[in-house]
Amino acid sequence: MSQISITVDGAKLQVEADQRPTHIFAENKEIVVCKVNGVLKDLWTDLVDGDVVEGILISSPTGLEVLRHSTAHVMAQAVQEVYANTRLGIGPPIKDGFYYDFDPESTFNPDDLTKIESAMRKIIKEGQRFKRRVTTEAEALKELAHEPYKCELIGIKGPAGEEASVEVGGAELTIYDNLGRDGNPVWSDLCRGPHLPSTKHIPAFKLMRTAAAYWRGSEKNPMLQRIYGTAWPSQDELNAYLELLAEAEKRDHRRLGTELDLFSFPEEIGSGLAVFHPKGGIVRRAMEDYSRIRHEEEGYEFVYSPHLTKAALFETSGHLQWYADGMYPPMILDEEYNEDGTVKRAGQQYYMKPMNCPFHNLIYRSRGRSYRELPFRLFEFGTVYRYEKSGVLHGITRARGFTQDDAHIYCTKEQMVGELDSLLTFVLNLLRDYGLNDFYLELSTKNPEKFVGEDSDWAEATEALRKAATAQNLELVLDEGGAAFYGPKISVQAKDAIGRTWQMSTIQVDFQLPQRFELEYSATDGTRQRPVMIHRALFGSIERFFGVLTEHYSGAFPPWLAPVQAIGIPVADTFADYLGDVIQQMRKAGIRAELDSSDDRMQKKVRNAQMQKIPFMVIAGEEDQKAGAVSFRYRNGEQKNGIPIKDAIAEIKKVVQERTQV
Ligand SMILES: [Zn+2]
Ligand SMILES: [Zn+2]
């Protein structure tokens, strides 16, 4: 056998010509797929002289995708074993898992998932090898004649949308055969690959749920059945993931929103449009009030703009060219008719605003601006309306109407570096004040194919953002080429109490709008210059941040945000008057305090207060009354007795003022 020389994970190696990556990496079972000369391949791929091979671990992002996609294959195989007349759609990996779309004879139910899982376990135990086979369009169409959806994909080839590209996105058309114990194919699927070397490399999986899904996402197509599953490199990781899901479900803001009486989505208003109830209103106002104070301290000026505007504004801003899909359709207003019903004067198109920026630009442009006024920082709690697809709506974290804490900063090029730096510090500190403190930053840089403005401006702004980010001593992730066409941005990603990442604030430099709106200022030398514009939403939207905080705190808001900060619970009715007086004193001191004067017994009142996650239970019995004191019971069940009323008030006021959690 002749030898070939290859490079494996950076080291030169002489191997027999029939050696494949699966042999080369035989020692390391964690390597499940590889890159050959930069291209992702199966471990069974042939090697030639000079190849550069890189092993990929199952736990890496790419390894996880291959694991999950391979598990989707096994699921499809199992489904066809159990329900022979099921037709196959597509089966891509997704975040934390995978799905596969099927056209079954009858709808799947939860019992079916258990059956499919046990069929999958058998396939995994058999250790079936995934074997790649190159085919032609004609052959594939013949072989897959009983799979109409797959045949449709063959017809599309090329870029068939991101998800379908798993099946046919490669340079060659390929079918993967699963080989049984005797080496003969037991099942085949049209797929681009790559896959795990064999089914026994699937350490842990679980099928999660079924859903209906249109074939290739279009309502014009047949409705298919989708099964979602998840797969992990170890049983421990699978268990941890399932625990996280259970914890996330307990914290789900939609559920807590109802339980704590914070907000609702009445059917009569329309999906994605929330109303805030009195308790949610208190939390929201506390969030807004604090934000307002901090912004005023930082030199922002508060403005207001209408929810509705003529189309012309969004033509100038360009939104109607590139964002029309995200906007509610126009209203035609002020149309005038003749007596015979013909149009005398054509109407005007008006739109609900999806963004506040154009309005702020008009405020900037309302008169001449001088360099002396810059940086000019405008802030608005601006309510916007975006026509999101109903499938992506998710409580108040993804809604159709929401209020942005929206700021636009206009400054000179020279001021940009300093402004971005202080802006990022301000943003992070404010998020910390609301109780988030685990961050990383993401810097999105120019897409060389699609951008407006000068290269030098981009370089300068990107460098300024990078400098500002680096100064924070936080992890900085590069999103190379990921910027919008109008400018680079930094986004702040925050981890919540259970380790989930939420994109919070964005700081976006914009080279386009100042041009489109012809914004100017007169410089020191009297020339007219164009300002730099920075968009900045700190919470994203108040509703979304409200949702994130609800989940972060699991509804147990810190006292400064809690709708009710203290609830009075008398040990018996006889102490209700005394405690009522204490609660009254607390209210006078600015504390949101209530007396539970219901007919419930004390234990029930305590349970209710726990369910409502109220930070301070203020309890009074005989000894308390004699001593002119109260007892505190905290959310964690601890109790402190005999606190003089004055001290009790001071303790609550202190944690509210310091915005600490109890
Ligand atoms: Zn596949
Ligand atoms: Zn903006």
Side-chain angles (χ1 to χ4, degrees):
M1 177 67 60
S2 61
Q3 298 255 310
I4 53 171
S5 86
I6 55 173
T7 308
V8 176
D9 290 339
K12 295 255 186 244
L13 220 62
Q14 289 280 331
V15 296
E16 302 277 327
D18 66 349
Q19 290 289 290
R20 291 165 170 182
T22 188
H23 306 119
I24 293 163
F25 295 119
E27 295 288 287
N28 189 346
K29 295 287 177 229
E30 297 285 294
I31 292 176
V32 290
V33 65
C34 64
K35 276 189 177 165
V36 179
N37 308 322
V39 182
L40 200 61
K41 300 264 189 184
D42 297 311
L43 288 187
W44 290 104
T45 198
D46 289 323
L47 295 176
V48 298
D49 198 54
D51 275 348
V52 177
V53 187
E54 188 193 327
I56 292 179
L57 297 170
I58 192 167
S59 51
S60 68
T62 305
L64 285 172
E65 275 186 17
V66 171
L67 163 67
R68 287 162 184 163
H69 169 66
S70 302
T71 314
H73 259 250
V74 172
M75 176 170 77
Q77 183 179 355
V79 165
Q80 289 198 322
E81 270 177 33
V82 183
Y83 309 97
N85 291 320
T86 304
R87 307 279 162 252
L88 302 178
I90 57 169
I94 51 173
K95 187 179 181 296
D96 295 333
F98 59 86
Y99 68 76
Y100 213 115
D101 287 343
F102 300 102
D103 188 357
E105 283 185 319
S106 56
T107 310
F108 295 124
N109 63 47
D111 282 351
D112 292 328
L113 293 192
T114 317
K115 270 183 232 163
I116 297 163
E117 276 182 344
S118 68
M120 287 173 73
R121 276 197 198 94
K122 254 166 69 191
I123 296 166
I124 290 168
K125 213 167 150 204
E126 266 182 34
Q128 297 177 6
R129 184 186 145 189
F130 290 97
K131 186 169 189 291
R132 184 176 187 270
R133 166 160 58 94
V134 178
T135 182
T136 65
E137 207 174 305
E139 278 169 27
L141 284 172
K142 206 166 122 196
E143 188 178 334
L144 297 169
H146 57 289
E147 294 285 6
Y149 303 103
K150 295 286 181 189
C151 289
E152 194 180 320
L153 293 179
I154 297 169
I156 305 160
K157 277 186 304 192
E162 229 161 71
E163 294 181 335
S165 74
V166 172
E167 331 286 316
V168 292
E172 294 172 311
L173 198 58
T174 52
I175 286 181
Y176 274 78
D177 298 315
N178 279 46
L179 305 186
R181 285 225 169 94
D182 57 3
N184 289 320
V186 288
W187 190 74
S188 305
D189 191 13
L190 177 77
C191 190
R192 181 188 65 170
H195 300 102
L196 302 172
S198 95
T199 57
K200 73 165 188 284
H201 286 80
I202 299 172
F205 77 95
K206 184 170 168 53
L207 301 189
M208 307 298 290
R209 63 193 170 94
T210 61
Y214 289 108
W215 168 237
R216 296 179 56 212
S218 165
E219 291 129 62
K220 294 182 196 109
N221 289 336
M223 179 82 87
L224 303 183
Q225 287 282 305
R226 175 172 295 178
I227 301 180
Y228 285 98
T230 186
W232 293 85
S234 70
Q235 188 63 41
D236 284 351
E237 280 158 283
L238 173 61
N239 293 346
Y241 174 66
L242 296 177
E243 267 165 43
L244 178 77
L245 287 188
E247 184 57 42
E249 165 136 18
K250 264 195 262 165
R251 292 168 176 258
D252 192 320
H253 73 275
R254 294 168 299 178
R255 174 181 171 155
L256 289 170
T258 307
E259 285 175 11
L260 302 177
D261 196 15
L262 301 173
F263 55 82
S264 62
F265 287 90
E267 184 67 41
E268 293 84 342
I269 300 179
S271 55
L273 300 166
V275 287
F276 280 75
H277 301 190
K279 282 188 176 149
I282 291 171
V283 181
R284 179 171 175 157
R285 210 191 62 210
M287 286 170 61
E288 289 177 6
D289 285 353
Y290 182 64
S291 166
R292 191 188 307 270
I293 291 167
R294 292 290 294 116
H295 277 87
E296 277 167 354
E297 286 169 0
E298 290 291 317
Y300 286 79
E301 299 178 82
F302 279 70
V303 296
Y304 296 89
S305 61
H307 293 207
L308 202 62
T309 173
K310 283 196 268 191
L313 182 61
F314 289 120
E315 270 156 25
T316 305
S317 68
H319 285 96
L320 279 174
Q321 277 140 271
W322 52 268
Y323 196 71
D325 281 353
M327 293 166 70
Y328 273 86
M331 297 162 242
I332 314 286
L333 301 181
D334 302 332
E335 200 161 47
E336 284 177 29
Y337 301 92
N338 294 309
E339 270 174 24
D340 62 0
T342 54
V343 174
K344 186 169 157 194
R345 186 167 151 246
Q348 287 268 11
Q349 287 197 343
Y350 278 77
Y351 282 90
M352 303 301 289
K353 65 172 169 180
M355 296 187 191
N356 303 302
C357 346
F359 298 83
H360 294 188
N361 286 344
L362 295 183
I363 294 171
Y364 180 96
R365 211 174 66 176
S366 62
R367 61 175 175 80
R369 301 285 171 189
S370 142
Y371 70 93
R372 285 190 197 90
E373 294 173 74
L374 307 184
F376 188 49
R377 306 181 185 96
L378 297 182
F379 184 104
E380 177 174 8
F381 284 120
T383 303
V384 297
Y385 299 89
R386 296 183 185 173
Y387 190 69
E388 299 270 16
K389 285 210 172 109
S390 60
V392 302
L393 295 175
H394 187 84
I396 52 172
T397 56
R398 188 104 184 239
R400 283 180 172 169
F402 49 89
T403 305
Q404 294 184 302
D405 60 327
D406 209 0
H408 294 99
I409 297 154
Y410 306 84
C411 63
T412 69
K413 266 189 196 171
E414 295 71 36
Q415 289 166 337
M416 182 175 64
V417 175
E419 192 63 23
L420 289 173
D421 183 48
S422 63
L423 189 52
L424 187 58
T425 303
F426 171 57
V427 161
L428 287 165
N429 283 340
L430 196 47
L431 289 176
R432 287 183 183 113
D433 287 344
Y434 286 88
L436 297 173
N437 40 40
D438 190 355
F439 305 109
Y440 71 89
L441 304 171
E442 197 170 88
L443 174 63
S444 302
T445 63
K446 187 173 77 181
N447 174 352
E449 310 276 293
K450 211 176 155 206
F451 68 97
V452 297
E454 300 297 320
D455 279 319
S456 56
D457 288 345
W458 272 84
E460 209 178 313
T462 309
E463 203 35 49
L465 286 171
R466 190 194 310 270
K467 244 197 214 154
T470 312
Q472 297 298 331
N473 281 321
L474 293 170
E475 186 193 348
L476 178 62
V477 177
L478 260 194
D479 172 24
E480 201 86 59
F485 69 90
Y486 47 86
K489 76 162 182 205
I490 282 186
S491 55
V492 176
Q493 312 280 337
K495 280 201 185 139
D496 70 8
I498 57 170
R500 293 173 301 174
T501 300
W502 300 86
Q503 177 171 321
M504 298 307 320
S505 324
T506 53
I507 297 174
Q508 168 84 56
V509 179
D510 190 335
F511 298 122
Q512 189 203 211
L513 281 187
Q515 224 168 18
R516 295 189 81 116
F517 280 84
E518 297 175 342
L519 304 184
E520 288 180 341
Y521 65 91
S522 55
T524 36
D525 60 1
T527 58
R528 304 213 145 275
Q529 300 289 331
R530 187 134 291 164
V532 175
M533 180 177 181
I534 303 166
H535 306 252
R536 194 240 59 188
L538 202 147
F539 299 158
S541 80
I542 296 165
E543 288 83 351
R544 182 166 177 278
F545 194 51
F546 190 123
V548 171
L549 288 183
T550 304
E551 299 202 1
H552 175 64
Y553 289 119
S554 197
F557 293 105
W560 74 282
L561 290 172
V564 179
Q565 294 165 331
I567 181 125
I569 300 177
V571 171
D573 277 351
T574 15
F575 312 108
D577 284 346
Y578 167 72
L579 192 54
D581 182 57
V582 175
I583 293 298
Q584 200 49 41
Q585 292 182 46
M586 288 185 166
R587 293 172 77 99
K588 277 200 184 126
I591 295 167
R592 296 191 285 269
E594 287 175 5
L595 178 71
D596 185 344
S597 52
S598 67
D599 292 337
D600 294 329
R601 295 174 65 97
M602 182 198 169
Q603 285 316 314
K604 179 82 190 333
K605 289 181 180 179
V606 168
R607 260 202 311 282
N608 285 345
Q610 278 167 339
M611 295 284 288
Q612 289 299 305
K613 313 200 178 201
I614 297 169
F616 292 93
M617 282 180 237
V618 185
I619 297 173
E622 193 172 354
E623 276 175 40
D624 293 307
Q625 185 167 354
K626 265 192 215 152
V630 291
S631 299
F632 274 166
R633 190 185 163 103
Y634 300 90
R635 283 193 288 224
N636 65 7
E638 275 173 32
Q639 189 145 332
K640 192 155 92 184
N641 298 325
I643 314 166
I645 295 168
K646 178 169 62 63
D647 295 355
I649 291 174
E651 178 172 340
I652 298 173
K653 287 196 72 165
K654 182 167 185 282
V655 293
V656 168
Q657 221 148 41
E658 292 174 356
R659 293 180 308 278
T660 41
Q661 179 62 298
V662 295

